[in-house]
Amino acid sequence: MNLGRTAIVLGCAAMLCLSGCATVQGPNGQSSSNDPLEPINKPIFNANLWLFRNVLGPVNQGYEAVTPKFFRTSVSNVFANADMPYVFVNDFLQGRVQLGMSGLSRFLVNTIFGLGGIFDVANKLDLPKQSNNFGVTLGVWGVPQGPYLVLPFYGPSSLRNLPGLALAIYTAPPYYFPSSNAQWAWSGMGIINTGHVDAPQVRMVEDAVNPYVFARNAWEQHEQFLIDGGKVNKSQLLEGLDLPPATATTDSAAATP
Amino acid sequence: MMRKSRLLGAFMAVGLLGLGSPVLWAADAVASSQKAALDSPKASIETLDQALLQTMQAGKAAGYAGRYKIIAPVLAKVFDFDKIAQLALGSEWSKLSAAEQKQFVSVLAKYTAATYAGRFDEYDGERFAVVDTQELRPGTMGVFTTFTMKSGRVHRFDYLLEQSANKEWRVVNVVADGVSDLSLKRAEYTELLKSKGFPALLAHLRRQIQDYASGAKS
């Protein structure tokens, strides 16, 4: 792997990491039962938040100060478009053909008519962006989540999601850029864009009473939501309604509704 | 609309504030619309969505205090904070004294309003839509909605509502893109209660409210 490819890997990892920070979950206020690696995960989680607070956050403030909104929107459109192959490939792997075709159409429309994704033309054709990843694909096919993980620079993940990192890299168009400089430039801009796009969600995590627990539960719940095809069923909605037994346990397992 | 709001905001800043303020217009509109609005689960959610849109449209020109004035009374009406507080604290709820329970409900309501006023601070063409309602069990309904951003990205906001004694439908949980607010709260709050006690939980929520009010958060 040459330097450019390494840059892509690191760039993608950082982007995915921080977006992971932003979109946490876990059904029923899930407990540490699925988090045997908490003693390792927690310091990594705190380091990721520190990095965001002290590096990416200030970089984002500078980015917002020196660029107009339409520029930032165009940049985030381009990166969102570059994510689309990873999204629709996973749609097809999950057997969700209609979603996959929608994602493929979105990618082609925005690449061709949106000038490489600068303009989100597909949005006007009712082809909205979806979220997806290979961990969800494995979940759809019945692979259990495995232990919850927090990856350096990357954020919430799980054993099931690890193979998806490689797929994300190989399906990202910049992997096929012929020039290492272009790949470095792409990765750098991608990190800045991630800091910009994910800043509000990271702030939500920081505001939580217990950011680590919040991030883990939210990430796990959202992952399950994607596995279920973006639907919340009746039992999930009712799950939070009934009070737990009066006997409290000693950890957050008692938090499970 | 935004230009008008900003102009009126400027008038407010120089002391020419009158009944023409967009904040007061919005608050009036919300107050009048909510009078007959909780008689069905769908109506309750539409009342909430309307208030959220008005909060966003009031935007930065209205300031945090202006947005808080719009959204807080609607949340107090549409959300069943007594029930939410009870569910969020789970088995810890019964360990609190009546005074502590009352105090927690009050702070939770203020914290929720502060969060909404702090975060719903600009409008960029977003729209809400109720896509389905379902009876989950007698007296309990699910209302399934979408929040579509200008970018076309669609988020799901699904609500769990219960019918109160006065026949009004009130929200007890919000599930955003599959993430249950109640389960997050329960996991966090109960853990903090056990590790640091009730005063620490209250102090955390009050600090968050203060940060929103002072502009340290947005």
Side-chain angles (χ1 to χ4, degrees):
Chain A
M1 185 177 283
N2 63 27
L3 275 181
R5 301 255 153 93
T6 308
I8 294 295
V9 172
L10 291 176
C12 290
M15 284 182 260
L16 290 170
C17 127
L18 291 163
S19 60
C21 266
T23 52
V24 270
Q25 23 142 324
N28 317 332
Q30 232 152 6
S31 69
S32 52
S33 61
N34 206 27
D35 191 10
L37 300 176
E38 182 172 338
I40 299 167
N41 286 336
K42 221 165 181 174
I44 298 173
F45 176 82
N46 290 332
N48 285 347
L49 271 188
W50 185 91
L51 273 176
F52 196 93
R53 228 176 266 140
N54 296 287
V55 181
L56 221 42
V59 167
N60 178 46
Q61 284 174 354
Y63 179 55
E64 290 184 354
V66 300
T67 56
K69 190 175 178 186
F70 79 87
F71 176 83
R72 297 192 297 271
T73 303
S74 300
V75 168
S76 62
N77 283 347
V78 168
F79 280 95
N81 193 51
D83 286 342
M84 283 310 298
Y86 182 58
V87 171
F88 67 70
V89 163
N90 277 296
D91 284 330
F92 288 126
L93 290 174
Q94 290 158 20
R96 291 166 174 158
V97 176
Q98 195 177 345
L99 271 181
M101 289 307 294
S102 167
L104 174 59
S105 305
R106 177 184 169 81
F107 178 66
L108 292 175
V109 165
N110 278 346
T111 302
I112 297 167
F113 300 107
L115 305 181
I118 293 173
F119 302 104
D120 191 353
V121 185
N123 177 36
K124 294 181 173 56
L125 302 175
D126 200 20
L127 295 167
K129 182 167 168 35
Q130 312 285 339
S131 298
N132 213 341
N133 65 64
F134 192 62
V136 172
T137 299
L138 294 177
V140 166
W141 292 105
V143 177
Q145 177 186 297
Y148 173 74
L149 300 174
V150 181
L151 306 180
F153 306 109
Y154 183 88
S157 187
S158 72
L159 193 58
R160 183 177 62 196
N161 290 58
L162 288 184
L165 298 181
L167 185 63
I169 291 162
Y170 287 110
T171 53
Y175 183 80
Y176 302 97
F177 286 178
S179 149
S180 294
N181 288 339
Q183 291 175 330
W184 277 110
W186 175 274
S187 301
M189 196 63 232
I191 291 171
I192 293 171
N193 178 61
T194 300
H196 172 66
V197 171
D198 288 348
Q201 292 95 321
V202 174
R203 275 201 293 273
M204 279 179 70
V205 173
E206 287 182 315
D207 290 352
V209 173
N210 184 330
Y212 179 81
V213 172
F214 177 94
R216 182 186 64 208
N217 290 348
W219 185 85
E220 288 179 347
Q221 286 189 43
H222 186 67
E223 200 77 350
Q224 190 59 49
F225 172 73
L226 294 176
I227 290 168
D228 294 340
K231 289 174 189 146
V232 174
N233 62 38
K234 182 176 165 178
S235 62
Q236 275 177 291
L237 261 183
L238 282 172
E239 226 162 7
L241 194 57
D242 297 312
L243 287 169
T247 319
T249 57
T250 53
D251 62 19
S252 58
T256 306
Chain B
M1 173 66 189
M2 282 307 290
R3 182 174 289 180
K4 194 172 184 178
S5 297
R6 283 184 186 150
L7 186 61
L8 287 166
F11 272 74
M12 291 163 68
V14 294
L16 297 178
L17 167 65
L19 294 176
S21 151
V23 175
L24 294 178
W25 284 345
D28 282 350
V30 171
S32 57
S33 68
Q34 72 186 82
K35 276 177 189 160
L38 307 182
D39 55 351
S40 77
K42 188 181 176 192
S44 294
I45 297 307
E46 284 174 341
T47 300
L48 174 65
D49 288 349
Q50 189 189 358
L52 287 174
L53 279 178
Q54 285 164 345
T55 304
M56 289 191 281
Q57 285 163 354
K60 296 194 192 307
Y64 166 83
R67 296 192 301 274
Y68 189 94
K69 268 185 195 168
I70 296 170
I71 197 67
V74 179
L75 291 175
K77 187 89 178 155
V78 175
F79 279 55
D80 187 345
F81 284 113
D82 287 323
K83 186 70 184 274
I84 293 168
Q86 195 176 346
L87 291 169
L89 296 193
S91 55
E92 299 297 305
W93 173 258
S94 58
K95 298 175 188 169
L96 301 179
S97 68
E100 286 173 330
Q101 289 176 348
K102 195 176 169 187
Q103 199 177 13
F104 180 67
V105 171
S106 167
V107 171
L108 183 65
K110 286 177 187 158
Y111 168 70
T112 306
T115 306
Y116 276 78
R119 291 182 183 157
F120 286 80
D121 63 349
E122 59 182 348
Y123 178 70
D124 192 21
E126 294 88 352
R127 60 186 193 276
F128 292 96
V130 174
V131 293
D132 193 19
T133 58
Q134 266 183 42
E135 183 176 50
L136 304 175
R137 63 188 189 196
T140 306
M141 294 285 291
V143 177
F144 303 85
T145 77
T146 56
F147 176 67
T148 307
M149 302 177 77
K150 191 184 177 186
S151 66
R153 182 142 201 158
V154 179
H155 293 279
R156 289 289 304 261
F157 284 88
D158 301 320
Y159 296 90
L160 185 69
L161 296 96
E162 285 192 328
Q163 193 169 29
S164 58
N166 61 0
K167 302 290 177 194
E168 289 182 340
W169 287 91
R170 292 192 168 174
V171 173
V172 293
N173 193 15
V174 187
V175 180
D177 281 345
V179 182
S180 162
D181 185 52
L182 199 52
S183 82
L184 292 181
K185 281 192 167 76
R186 186 180 292 178
E188 290 186 87
Y189 293 1
T190 53
E191 189 175 83
L192 188 67
L193 272 178
K194 285 169 194 161
S195 61
K196 295 184 179 170
F198 182 67
L201 176 58
L202 275 192
H204 175 87
L205 295 177
R206 284 180 172 145
R207 197 164 50 246
Q208 299 287 320
I209 294 168
Q210 183 56 38
D211 284 350
Y212 279 116
S214 66
K217 287 183 194 302
S218 61

